[in-house]
Amino acid sequence: MKSKTYYRIRRKIIWVIDSILKIGVCIFLAFPFYWMLTTSFKTYTESILFPPTLIPRVFTLEGYRTVFEGLDLGMYLKNSLIILFWIILIQMIVMVPAAYGFSKCEFKGRGLLFGFVTVAFMVPSQVTFVTTFLMFSKMKLIKTLIPQIIPFGANAFGIFLLRQNFMQIPDEMLEAARLDEASELQIMLKIMLPMAKSSLVTIALLSFMSHWNSYFWPLVMTTSDSVRPLTMAIDKLKHLDFGFVWPTIMAGNVLMVLPVVILFLIGSKRIIAAMAYRGIK
Amino acid sequence: MSKAKNNASPAKRKCGPRLMDRLRPYLMIAPCIAFLVVFTLYPVVNMIYLSFFEYDLLTPKKFVGLNNYYRLFFVNVDFWEAFKHTFYYTVAEVVLLITLGLLLAMWVRKSTFLNAIAQRVMFLPHLVAMLTVAYVFQWLMDDRSGLFNAVLNFFHLPGLNWLNSSKTALMSVVIVSIWKNVGYYALILLSSLKAIPAEIYEAADLDDARPLLKFFKITVPMLSPQIFFLLVTITMGSFKVFESIRVLTGGGPGSSTDVLVYYIYRYAISNMKYGYACAAGTILFVILMVFMVVYFRLPGKRVHYQ
């Protein structure tokens, strides 16, 4: 018969091992971030030392200086922000009435049209990019920011989330407003929207992050630097010097990651919930 | 008939009787539908159409019938190579992401301080651009001064060539993707794990069920719709892998990491063989369509969109 202390000690040991393993997993997942950050502060010679140093012996901002001097960061950042601004604005304008229509109005063909929306959203841009590129280059728009903006006018996740949100608003509220002679537009803007504010913020946040990070689309849709966003600038860092100068490349990537991590720290609960929802739907 | 319906649900009456009211819902969804028609439906239809042509934007397109497909399947062996790599990649992704995701989710299920931190950290890689992740890992996997080989050497193991050998390149790309996505899928599984009623486990505890038995007899069956859903999602996601390949290996060494989307990209953007690229794109589209059909027939999925 084993004593109570035996079980208590056994549980304690298991707990310690479990915790150590968990910390290990956390380190494994967080380490590349640490590595990126520290490498960005190293000198080039230190960065290629073997075995590598875990903490930079000499802190230098050389990498950052090269990034700022070698690239017209301002231009790329401006492009990124203009693209993001228009994408989010257009998405909101398209999304709100669509979600309202699909949630609170009955009309012929609603099921069919919603089915079309659902299926169309599942066709990835990796399938459509060739012909979309041809379309824009025939229209002579490849040298503008438009190909990076309007294809994203309809936001699937946004419409689904918002529709779900609108469906929870009781019909009686809309009916009361209609009795007060409110127009449909007023109902949408003054009643529905304020109740969905939190969803709208979440949608804008996720949209920002996904388009801030996007690399595939600008890569295939642009032919000149003047319309390229920040991701494409980071991709050019490897050509800035002879070969790969890791501190410079990492410095550029730190600048890319920073806004996203800050947004995550501000709204991590909201973002995790929304991403999990997006994963399930 | 519409009148009766309107009387039945007074709140929706406004969307019914008068002409303007009847048109309004269509106007509301029109922009959304228009965007999808122009930027999804039209490109797909046009892609299938162009796949029967030889086309390079400069000279007029020439109808070639099924010749592009014939060349894809029977003349150019590189398409099968790309398809094979995509398939291997997809199988590795599905097996590893679901197994590891499930294990992670089980592991951090209880609400403790450490688990709360772990959940946040698990999510972090998912936020960062694939571009950044790819560069950091390219650096970690560098064969001369990368950290991974330093760790291997520390344990007196020979260093690997990671991305620079055709034997290990695809595996290295899979590792990067696992690192980026496993936490995200674990969190998705975790949210369904929490929805399993505790009574079921309590009943099993009364019967002195062993943990492994509980896992296979309760957890896995209860999560099966979710797991099946992830299976389809990960498969579809893996078939369109591109960014990591482009940054990490550029399809190489040799053609050892050439995948479908990279193949299409090469022929379309670099070689301007648009008709041929469209044929390859059509194949990819058909593959994804098959999974889409499966996706919409998923058990436990249909409830969401009526």
Side-chain angles (χ1 to χ4, degrees):
Chain A
M1 176 97 192
K2 279 154 183 167
S3 70
K4 231 176 181 168
T5 21
Y6 168 82
Y7 280 111
R8 201 181 301 146
I9 290 172
R10 202 178 84 150
R11 208 177 310 138
K12 197 97 195 164
I13 290 173
I14 289 177
W15 181 82
V16 168
I17 294 173
D18 182 75
S19 302
I20 290 173
L21 281 175
K22 260 173 205 160
I23 293 168
V25 168
C26 285
I27 290 175
F28 172 73
L29 289 173
F31 186 80
F33 292 100
Y34 171 82
W35 198 238
M36 172 171 73
L37 197 65
T38 50
T39 304
S40 77
F41 290 118
K42 284 179 182 173
T43 60
Y44 177 62
T45 29
E46 190 183 345
S47 77
I48 51 166
L49 272 187
F50 193 83
T53 49
L54 277 177
I55 300 162
R57 283 186 206 142
V58 194
F59 267 89
T60 168
L61 293 172
E62 195 60 31
Y64 291 89
R65 220 196 60 190
T66 324
V67 172
F68 280 105
E69 280 177 359
L71 293 174
D72 187 359
L73 270 192
M75 180 189 78
Y76 292 107
L77 184 66
K78 203 180 84 194
N79 286 341
S80 274
L81 293 178
I82 293 174
I83 293 167
L84 282 164
F85 172 79
W86 285 109
I87 286 182
I88 292 175
L89 185 72
I90 295 173
Q91 281 185 349
M92 291 292 162
I93 294 172
V94 171
M95 177 171 30
V96 173
Y100 185 26
F102 279 125
S103 63
K104 288 290 177 195
C105 299
E106 268 170 19
F107 52 91
K108 242 197 197 138
R110 183 171 88 161
L112 200 72
L113 284 168
F114 196 66
F116 169 69
V117 171
T118 323
V119 172
F121 280 139
M122 292 191 68
V123 178
S125 51
Q126 282 86 346
V127 165
T128 57
F129 78 93
V130 179
T131 34
T132 310
F133 173 80
L134 292 175
M135 177 164 76
F136 280 120
S137 66
K138 262 196 209 147
M139 292 155 96
K140 305 248 182 294
L141 289 173
I142 285 296
K143 290 199 161 55
T144 67
L145 292 173
I146 292 169
Q148 293 177 72
I149 297 170
I150 47 171
F152 303 103
N155 174 349
F157 165 71
I159 290 174
F160 292 145
L161 188 72
L162 211 55
R163 173 174 167 268
Q164 211 87 331
N165 223 298
F166 283 169
M167 288 202 301
Q168 281 160 9
I169 298 173
D171 286 346
E172 289 76 30
M173 271 184 79
L174 308 188
E175 191 53 23
R178 277 170 194 145
L179 288 178
D180 288 343
E181 305 272 302
S183 73
E184 290 295 309
L185 193 69
Q186 280 173 319
I187 292 176
M188 189 170 80
L189 295 178
K190 299 246 169 79
I191 299 177
M192 308 284 268
L193 265 194
M195 299 189 82
K197 220 190 264 163
S198 143
S199 297
L200 287 173
V201 175
T202 309
I203 293 164
L205 217 62
L206 290 191
S207 196
F208 178 91
M209 295 207 294
S210 91
H211 290 285
W212 174 264
N213 285 341
S214 89
Y215 169 68
F216 173 70
W217 198 255
L219 179 74
V220 295
M221 272 316 140
T222 59
T223 50
S224 70
D225 279 344
S226 61
V227 291
R228 287 186 169 141
L230 208 58
T231 34
M232 298 294 288
I234 303 305
D235 199 28
K236 282 181 61 165
L237 287 173
K238 61 175 180 245
H239 304 302
L240 218 55
D241 260 301
F242 49 94
F244 285 68
V245 179
W246 292 111
T248 310
I249 295 174
M250 292 301 133
N253 280 299
V254 168
L255 296 176
M256 267 280 303
V257 169
L258 221 52
V260 175
V261 170
I262 291 172
L263 276 184
F264 181 64
L265 291 180
I266 297 170
S268 61
K269 249 208 174 108
R270 195 195 280 273
I271 293 171
I272 289 185
M275 288 258 197
Y277 173 89
R278 180 161 67 176
I280 291 164
K281 297 285 134 165
Chain B
M1 183 215 140
S2 76
K3 254 228 158 89
K5 206 166 192 180
N6 285 324
N7 288 337
S9 70
K12 280 157 187 163
R13 190 188 305 143
K14 266 284 168 112
C15 304
R18 280 179 291 132
L19 179 68
M20 188 50 212
D21 288 335
R22 212 177 306 158
L23 276 178
R24 188 177 292 113
Y26 294 105
L27 289 176
M28 283 174 161
I29 62 163
C32 166
I33 301 288
F35 272 108
L36 291 176
V37 167
V38 177
F39 295 109
T40 304
L41 186 64
Y42 170 71
V44 168
V45 172
N46 197 27
M47 172 181 72
I48 297 170
Y49 170 75
L50 282 180
S51 73
F52 301 111
F53 289 86
E54 213 165 76
Y55 185 42
D56 61 5
L57 256 184
L58 306 170
T59 49
K61 54 177 175 280
K62 196 174 101 205
F63 183 77
V64 292
L66 289 170
N67 195 28
N68 284 330
Y69 291 97
Y70 177 75
R71 273 167 52 217
L72 264 182
F73 288 124
F74 302 109
V75 182
N76 297 352
V77 282
D78 54 352
F79 180 76
W80 283 115
E81 281 288 302
F83 185 85
K84 206 174 71 188
H85 300 143
T86 315
F87 182 75
Y88 289 160
Y89 177 85
T90 303
V91 171
E93 286 273 291
V94 166
V95 171
L96 290 172
L97 276 178
I98 290 182
T99 322
L100 294 175
L102 199 53
L103 287 177
L104 261 185
M106 297 282 297
W107 197 24
V108 298
R109 175 163 52 163
K110 293 200 183 91
S111 3
T112 63
F113 175 69
L114 202 57
N115 287 351
I117 293 179
Q119 287 175 23
R120 291 285 161 90
V121 175
M122 272 156 56
F123 197 71
L124 215 51
H126 188 70
L127 291 172
V128 180
M130 191 67 213
L131 178 80
T132 299
V133 173
Y135 273 117
V136 176
F137 272 85
Q138 197 173 8
W139 174 213
L140 287 166
M141 289 172 168
D142 193 89
D143 29 334
R144 265 172 301 139
S145 47
L147 186 80
F148 283 6
N149 276 353
V151 172
L152 286 178
N153 284 0
F154 180 78
F155 290 109
H156 299 288
L157 293 164
L160 286 174
N161 276 330
W162 301 105
L163 298 160
N164 286 334
S165 148
S166 52
K167 287 202 188 80
T168 50
L170 198 61
M171 175 198 82
S172 307
V173 177
V174 171
I175 291 176
V176 176
S177 159
I178 299 290
W179 177 83
K180 191 179 189 321
N181 294 316
V182 70
Y184 174 59
Y185 289 116
L187 286 180
I188 290 177
L189 285 169
L190 187 66
S191 61
S192 349
L193 212 57
K194 281 182 175 156
I196 299 177
E199 296 89 59
I200 302 181
Y201 287 107
E202 281 158 16
D205 284 336
L206 286 180
D207 291 340
D208 266 337
R210 296 232 301 278
L212 213 57
L213 196 69
K214 276 195 285 188
F215 177 74
F216 282 111
K217 293 278 164 183
I218 301 175
T219 312
V220 173
M222 290 297 279
L223 285 185
S224 59
Q226 209 65 45
I227 293 173
F228 196 50
F229 161 73
L230 284 190
L231 197 92
V232 179
T233 327
I234 297 172
T235 308
M236 288 178 71
S238 305
F239 258 97
K240 51 184 208 213
V241 57
F242 174 82
E243 294 189 359
S244 53
I245 297 279
R246 150 98 190 169
V247 179
L248 285 167
T249 65
S255 66
S256 60
T257 53
D258 201 13
V259 288
L260 284 180
V261 179
Y262 197 76
Y263 187 84
I264 302 169
Y265 165 80
R266 258 188 316 126
Y267 275 94
I269 306 296
S270 314
N271 302 346
M272 292 180 60
K273 291 190 170 155
Y274 296 112
Y276 186 76
C278 281
T282 305
I283 304 288
L284 176 67
F285 176 68
V286 169
I287 294 170
L288 290 176
M289 276 293 280
V290 171
F291 286 108
M292 252 185 260
V293 172
V294 178
Y295 179 92
F296 281 111
R297 294 185 175 262
L298 283 187
K301 181 76 181 60
R302 57 186 187 283
V303 282
H304 297 307
Y305 308 127
Q306 310 179 333

